[in-house]
Structure formats: structure tokens, C-alpha cells
Amino acid sequence: MTARILLSGATAALRSAGIATARQDAELLTARVLGTTRLGLSLEPRLTIDAARGNALRALVERRARQEPLQYLLGEAEFAGLTLGVGPGVFVPRPETEALVERALAALADGSRGPSAGGPSAGSPVALDLCTGSGAVACALADRRADLVVWAVEREPAAAAWAHANVARLGLGGRVTVMEGDLFAPLAGQGLAGRCDVIAANPPYLAESTLATLPAEVGEWEPRAALDGGPDGTQVVARILDGAPDWLRPGGTLVVEIGEDQGAWIRARIAGDPRYETGIVHRDFRGCERTLEARRV
Ligand SMILES: C[S@@+](CC[C@H](N)C(=O)[O-])C[C@H]1O[C@@H](n2cnc3c(N)ncnc32)[C@H](O)[C@@H]1O
């Protein structure tokens, strides 16, 4: 059978399952099964598919029709110019979070560096990535700043395994260390207290009421621990705000992705905490308040 015929069948199946990006997803899945790209597929529409690959494609289309994230099926997600491995058990990195990386890099470029941490970090700027998931933010920071040492923390073992794998896949093992545990806890004893130049975090920040309204693709497939920010969504963010000043050097910067309804709350929180100098909430490409940037005094 030709790829063109299978592709139109796959597109129709995904469309009738309500997948908004049916054609694009069908192309990506077909290209993946054939070991080519979407461009390769369009340049060679008469490519044929043998029975085994046809069955593999049908299985992927069925999974996608059940709303499983496309990135889980492809086994990869693009983020900040990197290709990261992802799959069940880990949050799929989102384009919005690339702004967190940019803010962290700008703060690193801007801030006159304080005393650097000891151990493997000696002489290098240091970043923390809390709630690292796939390791997306940690890897992007290390990829963009060749002198940067990054410590990444993840509480869920399944997600931490993806972070470890991505650090290895991208050859960043010499500068990115993945630790398993709760926020700052696994960093104790590493000589990092009061010495970090930047702390970045994309924590779970959805309120309980929002969790119930998520599209199936997110709510039924991505890990709840990646989404659930407690009753009003601020539980983990608040703990990060409380803990970060102990780990930042004077003048160091905290950047945190937040829910679009949390801007006023977080500005007030920063304004009321004498350990922070300034707090700015930046908007994302949709115009929603999304990224807190706060400097430690
Ligand atoms: C929204 S995801 C972000 C993942 C990744 N940073 C990204 O932007 O793609 C939040 C991550 O935080 C992890 N997490 C939740 N609570 C945590 C905690 N107390 N300590 C460490 N990690 C936590 C979740 O397991 C999940 O992987």
C-alpha cells in the first residue's frame, strides 16, 4: 500500500476522533514509521509501506485517537532548539517555558557574578532547575551557556529517569546533575547554599478546580504531579519563593513560571518579602502573565 493511502486513512481516523491537528499528526506518525520526515513524505508520495509498518502505523494512530500526546508517540519533543526524549510519566515541555530559559539566560548575562560554588561548580556560574521533569530547562540552559553548571531536581522517579536520559543524550553529563527529591532538599550538602546565580522553576501551578477541566490529552495522560499545584494552584510556587533566597547569592535571580491568574498574588508576595529586591511578572506570547523574575537583595 502507498504511504499516501495510509496517510489519508490515518488523517480521517484522527479527524473523526476530534484531533484538531489530524493531518499534521498523521504526517508525523507516518513519517516516523517510514523513517523519514514530513518533507520526505511529501516529496515521495508513492512510497510504499509493508504490512509490518502499516500495522505499526495503525497502532500509533489508535493511541493518538485515544488522545495520547503526539510527543509520547514520537518519543520526542522539541524545546528551545533541543530534541528531548519524552514518554509516559513525564510532562511534555511547552513553548511558553522557553521564555523561562530566556529570562534565566538574560539574568546570567546581566548579573555581576558573586562567589561561585565549590566542588564541580568551582569557578563557574551556577543555575538550579527545580521541578525539572524531562530536564528541558536544565538542558537548554547548559546548552546555551557552555560555562554554566546546572543542578536539576525532580521528585517523581519516572520523570527523573527521563531527565537523566536527556542529559546523557545531549552529552551534558559533565555540567548538568540531576537529583531526585523534593525541591531544595536533595541539594543539601552540595555547597550551593547562598551561591546560585539563577534559580529557574516551572512547577505544577494548576488549581484543583482547573484540573477537572483540562483536555483529555493533558488531564488523562500527563502526570498529575506535574500539574497539581494544590487547592488554589500556588502551593509549590509558594514553597519555592520561601526557599529560594537561602540558595541564591546576593543579587541572584529567581525565575518561575506561574499560572495566568497568579500575577497579582505573586507580586504581592514578593513585595512583602524583604529578601527580594524587585519582582516583575512577564507576559507570554499569548499576552498572559506567565514568568516571575525576582532578584534577591
Ligand atoms: C510542569 S512540570 C515541568 C517540567 C519541566 N521543567 C518542563 O518545563 O517541561 C513540573 C514538574 O515538577 C515535578 N514536581 C512536582 N512537585 C515537585 C517537588 N515538590 N519537588 C520536585 N519536583 C516536583 C513534577 O513531577 C513535574 O515533573
Side-chain angles (χ1 to χ4, degrees):
M1 190 174 286
T2 65
R4 185 191 292 238
I5 292 173
L6 272 179
L7 181 58
S8 48
T11 305
L14 294 181
R15 207 165 272 145
S16 64
I19 304 288
T21 50
R23 175 73 189 186
Q24 179 184 312
D25 290 11
E27 285 177 359
L28 286 165
L29 293 173
T30 307
R32 173 53 54 97
V33 164
L34 286 173
T36 183
T37 58
R38 281 174 83 194
L39 180 63
L41 206 57
S42 67
L43 292 176
E44 291 185 70
R46 291 200 179 76
L47 270 176
T48 55
I49 300 190
D50 60 28
R53 287 181 181 188
N55 289 338
L57 177 60
R58 268 185 282 276
L60 287 173
V61 169
E62 275 169 27
R63 287 171 65 186
R64 184 70 187 112
R66 290 196 295 272
Q67 310 286 326
E68 187 166 345
L70 179 72
Q71 292 87 347
Y72 283 6
L73 304 177
L74 297 173
E76 288 177 349
E78 303 296 321
F79 180 77
L82 300 177
T83 302
L84 297 153
V86 293
V90 76
F91 183 79
V92 176
R94 305 294 205 272
E96 289 90 325
T97 308
E98 293 178 359
L100 189 74
V101 172
E102 295 305 327
R103 293 285 168 200
L105 289 168
L108 281 166
D110 184 34
S112 56
R113 287 212 317 99
S116 58
S121 317
S124 304
V126 179
L128 301 185
D129 173 23
L130 302 174
C131 302
T132 197
S134 63
V137 172
C139 290
L141 290 173
D143 176 67
R144 292 276 294 279
R145 274 286 296 244
D147 58 339
L148 187 65
V149 167
V150 187
W151 296 75
V153 180
E154 170 57 47
R155 193 188 59 193
E156 302 301 315
W162 284 104
H164 280 293
N166 281 319
V167 169
R169 170 187 183 137
L170 295 166
L172 295 169
R175 290 188 294 117
V176 181
T177 305
V178 178
M179 312 281 280
E180 212 174 298
D182 179 29
L183 297 185
F184 302 96
L187 301 168
Q190 300 294 343
L192 296 167
R195 300 185 149 223
C196 298
D197 296 276
V198 159
I199 299 178
N202 177 18
Y205 54 70
L206 298 183
E208 260 165 24
S209 54
T210 308
L211 289 175
T213 66
L214 291 172
E217 180 162 347
V218 180
E220 287 175 20
W221 288 98
E222 293 194 87
R224 192 171 170 106
L227 308 168
D228 187 353
D232 69 352
T234 62
Q235 214 164 318
V236 187
V237 179
R239 290 181 56 216
I240 291 171
L241 297 186
D242 279 345
D246 291 341
W247 299 87
L248 286 168
R249 67 165 170 82
T253 302
L254 171 68
V255 287
V256 185
E257 185 170 316
I258 57 166
E260 59 199 56
D261 56 349
Q262 294 168 356
W265 167 78
I266 209 162
R267 269 191 295 272
R269 184 96 189 206
I270 292 291
D273 188 333
R275 299 171 301 167
Y276 290 106
E277 211 172 73
T278 51
I280 304 166
V281 178
H282 301 281
R283 291 182 184 272
D284 66 16
F285 51 77
R286 291 193 188 86
C288 302
E289 291 195 319
R290 187 63 67 199
T291 315
L292 168 77
E293 180 178 0
R295 264 169 78 103
R296 183 194 184 291
V297 290

